[in-house]
Amino acid sequence: MKGITDMTVTDVQSTEPNAQGYCEFSLGAFHFSRDEYFVHITWPTGKHVLSADVFLRALQRDVAWDFFYGTVNFDSVFGTVNHYGTVDMFAGRFNDAYRKAELDHTENFETPLIRDTFKAMLDDWTNASFDPFASPAETDKPFGIKDGSNTEAITRRRVAANRMVSVPGDEQVRTDETHPVNRMFADVPQDEPEVYPEPGFEDEVAAYNLYKYISRSDVTWNPSVVSVCKASLYCPTSEEYMLPVFHGNDRVEWFVQLSDEIVWDVQDRDTGAPRSKVTMKAGDVAAMPGDIRHQGYSPKRSMLLVWENASPELPEMIRTGKASVYPVDF
Amino acid sequence: MTEYVTKFGSLADYDKGSIDLINDQAKNYAFSNIFEVASSSKPWEKVAVGKNMQYVLEAIRAEGTSEWRTCAHDEFPLCMDGEVTIELVKLDTPAVPADKEGSVRIDGEPVGKKMGRIVLRKGHQALLPANAAYRMSASAPSVILLQTILGDDTVERWADICLS
């Protein structure tokens, strides 16, 4: 074992490249390797195989979201749970059959260690022609022997406004130079609001075109923050094909479908048992309860406004019964 | 080459989605449609369509001219249909305590300097700065989605608007 030093801390455990050119990684008792088509994960009580494209798209979101709110299920077996400072990595923990067979395994890691291990794995296993943020129609395949890297694509900066996009000193609007309009949003109007500040109020009289902003997103299923009302965050995202993970909620999360349509597959968070299919069309608003996992399917690139309450005390409030897993009582 | 058509909703043309239940209750999702809510709302009624603890999303039917309002924290209107003009005034003295959540109505004309004016159309989002007074107007029925905090004038009628 040796430490990767090009982009990570030296605690990341990896091997020399294997026959296909990919390093293998270890974190705790978990071991990760990939070949031309698959990712192989082993742990003391079992082993698992995922297609490399499934694994890399999920890994990309887990890294980009910094483990997000709650659980990121790469598939029905493997994933992470965010404890905001530490992260659980698990196999079979949220799979009824693995639990009953006592084959599940969970380990907890300090966030910097798992973050750096995941970043190193993502960087080593992503070839030059594959962009795990892109829809399948917009990128080449991830398969084959090791063929270069795509560090620029996988390390895109996550946009997070402090107040609102376009406010002076905050995140700025997207332009042709940096963010051309996506092929599926070519018909989205690109007009700007009319803003007439009086002298001295240029910093506080602000507006921008959110739909134009989303139409120029170069990633899929990757929310960014555009406006902040205390812990209330507007996190719009452009969605095409399918959410690469099943997101397990540790709080209520809301969706506003701004354009087109997404179908959500909703399952019990802990067992994976099906609960519903939610079809959202433009103008629809719906909550994802705090005890489910969900995966979305967007046949055409669509605009989704994810609305989050980022209050750090929420998971504990839900765990202790001080807050409900359901959005409203009526 | 395929010409993609992006489908946005409007007061005149919206298509509400649905929930196919397998082992759940529809009301757990608080599923509504902003345009449907605005279709049956009074002008400037602030109807909650999303709620997460104290935070809310309000669907507002913009029609005619609103009252003047102010708020101790920032709010963010997103125009989802039509055209809405916003006037802003920097109040000489904040009208609400710093810890007051949600907006309140101002009686009469606000006292302070004019900050400016914004015209929003579909897809445009604006900042309503903390402790500014604001008034909105729309010559034709329009729709605003407001990111704010539950206030005295927030209307909650979940049973009327949500799938159940």
Side-chain angles (χ1 to χ4, degrees):
Chain A
M1 296 284 182
K2 70 178 183 64
I4 282 187
T5 56
D6 58 340
M7 62 181 293
T8 67
V9 296
T10 53
D11 288 339
V12 173
Q13 298 296 307
S14 68
T15 66
E16 295 293 338
N18 60 18
Q20 290 79 33
Y22 299 105
C23 295
E24 298 184 8
F25 294 85
S26 295
L27 184 58
F30 285 90
H31 183 78
F32 300 85
S33 62
R34 81 155 284 188
D35 55 29
E36 290 199 44
Y37 287 113
F38 298 107
V39 169
H40 305 265
I41 306 173
T42 65
W43 61 95
T45 55
K47 61 184 179 183
H48 189 51
V49 182
L50 299 85
S51 179
D53 62 332
V54 171
F55 184 83
L56 289 174
R57 288 192 174 99
L59 184 65
Q60 175 69 86
R61 271 67 184 187
D62 216 8
V63 167
W65 303 342
D66 207 25
F67 306 101
F68 211 37
Y69 301 109
T71 307
V72 174
N73 296 283
F74 285 42
D75 65 358
S76 62
V77 175
F78 180 79
T80 60
V81 180
N82 195 356
H83 298 295
Y84 313 99
T86 67
V87 176
D88 287 348
M89 186 162 68
F90 64 82
R93 176 173 171 181
F94 298 109
N95 182 305
D96 221 21
Y98 274 76
R99 291 295 292 268
K100 286 175 179 168
E102 298 184 348
L103 291 173
D104 58 300
H105 182 74
T106 300
E107 292 185 48
N108 181 261
F109 302 99
E110 295 291 326
T111 299
L113 177 60
I114 186 172
R115 178 195 292 134
D116 288 340
T117 302
F118 276 17
K119 281 183 176 179
M121 191 154 44
L122 179 65
D123 192 46
D124 187 70
W125 291 2
T126 302
N127 289 321
S129 59
F130 180 62
D131 180 356
F133 268 132
S135 70
E138 295 180 315
T139 185
D140 206 346
K141 297 178 178 61
F143 305 120
I145 61 172
K146 174 78 173 168
D147 181 16
S149 60
N150 199 357
T151 304
E152 187 178 357
I154 64 173
T155 57
R156 287 179 175 95
R157 188 177 68 88
R158 189 179 183 205
V159 176
N162 291 312
R163 197 175 190 189
M164 188 187 78
V165 165
S166 83
V167 170
D170 210 328
E171 294 287 348
Q172 290 306 294
V173 298
R174 291 167 172 158
T175 64
D176 286 342
E177 286 69 37
T178 58
H179 294 83
V181 178
N182 184 270
R183 74 198 194 289
M184 285 193 179
F185 287 140
D187 60 338
V188 173
Q190 301 289 307
D191 63 310
E192 295 290 349
E194 298 172 38
V195 181
Y196 305 104
E198 296 291 336
F201 292 106
E202 292 84 356
D203 288 354
E204 290 199 279
V205 180
Y208 73 106
N209 186 338
L210 174 64
Y211 293 176
K212 172 183 176 181
Y213 187 84
I214 303 170
S215 75
R216 293 166 179 270
S217 171
D218 61 349
V219 295
T220 61
W221 307 100
N222 189 41
S224 56
V225 180
V226 298
S227 57
V228 179
C229 177
K230 297 189 178 180
S232 160
L233 308 181
Y234 262 17
C235 310
T237 163
S238 55
E239 319 293 49
E240 183 180 336
Y241 185 51
M242 59 193 287
L243 176 61
V245 305
F246 260 98
H247 176 211
N249 294 65
D250 69 359
R251 66 194 71 198
V252 175
E253 179 182 40
W254 285 83
F255 294 151
V256 179
Q257 192 70 39
L258 297 175
S259 84
D260 305 292
E261 178 176 324
I262 294 177
V263 176
W264 294 98
D265 209 354
V266 180
Q267 303 175 348
D268 182 83
R269 183 188 61 190
D270 296 334
T271 68
R275 286 178 52 165
S276 72
K277 286 190 184 296
V278 179
T279 301
M280 296 189 68
K281 301 184 178 184
D284 286 342
V285 185
M288 293 289 119
D291 61 351
I292 60 98
R293 68 178 84 168
H294 56 273
Q295 183 171 46
Y297 311 96
S298 186
K300 175 200 170 290
R301 202 175 185 96
S302 66
M303 299 185 183
L304 176 69
L305 177 58
V306 179
W307 178 47
E308 299 282 2
N309 181 342
S311 303
E313 65 269 22
L314 268 180
E316 181 65 10
M317 290 176 68
I318 288 176
R319 194 186 66 78
T320 57
K322 293 177 181 171
S324 174
V325 295
Y326 298 113
V328 289
D329 186 22
F330 66 93
Chain B
M1 185 176 172
T2 303
E3 282 197 19
Y4 296 102
V5 177
T6 302
K7 170 71 175 171
F8 293 106
S10 68
L11 281 169
D13 181 16
Y14 66 88
D15 186 15
K16 192 175 180 178
S18 59
I19 304 174
D20 296 321
L21 295 170
I22 300 165
N23 184 20
D24 211 338
Q25 298 181 69
K27 69 178 188 178
N28 290 341
Y29 300 85
F31 189 114
S32 67
N33 180 281
I34 292 164
F35 303 111
E36 183 178 69
V37 171
S39 294
S40 61
S41 296
K42 300 170 191 164
W44 309 110
E45 192 176 26
K46 295 154 64 68
V47 182
V49 293
K51 184 180 181 184
N52 202 329
M53 306 301 287
Q54 71 271 42
Y55 300 107
V56 291
L57 304 180
E58 295 174 344
I60 299 171
R61 179 186 180 93
E63 185 175 10
T65 301
S66 77
E67 59 204 4
W68 285 97
R69 300 189 70 85
T70 188
C71 190
H73 50 80
D74 289 346
E75 299 176 289
F76 302 92
L78 170 65
C79 181
M80 297 195 64
D81 190 22
E83 178 178 308
V84 178
T85 298
I86 302 169
E87 300 166 81
L88 292 165
V89 171
K90 187 76 172 180
L91 293 173
D92 288 344
T93 306
V96 289
D99 60 353
K100 173 70 175 173
E101 295 185 328
S103 67
V104 300
R105 184 169 62 90
I106 293 176
D107 293 325
E109 290 293 310
V111 178
K113 283 186 179 176
K114 286 186 177 179
M115 298 176 70
R117 182 170 62 90
I118 299 169
V119 181
L120 302 180
R121 299 182 186 86
K122 181 176 282 194
H124 298 171
Q125 185 184 27
L127 164 67
L128 303 177
N131 294 313
Y134 61 85
R135 179 171 70 176
M136 301 185 191
S137 58
S139 58
S142 303
V143 180
I144 290 285
L145 182 69
L146 186 67
Q147 180 187 11
T148 185
I149 300 179
L150 187 75
D152 301 342
D153 297 329
T154 303
V155 176
E156 294 190 77
R157 48 183 174 94
W158 300 101
D160 294 335
I161 67 172
C162 292
L163 296 177
S164 60

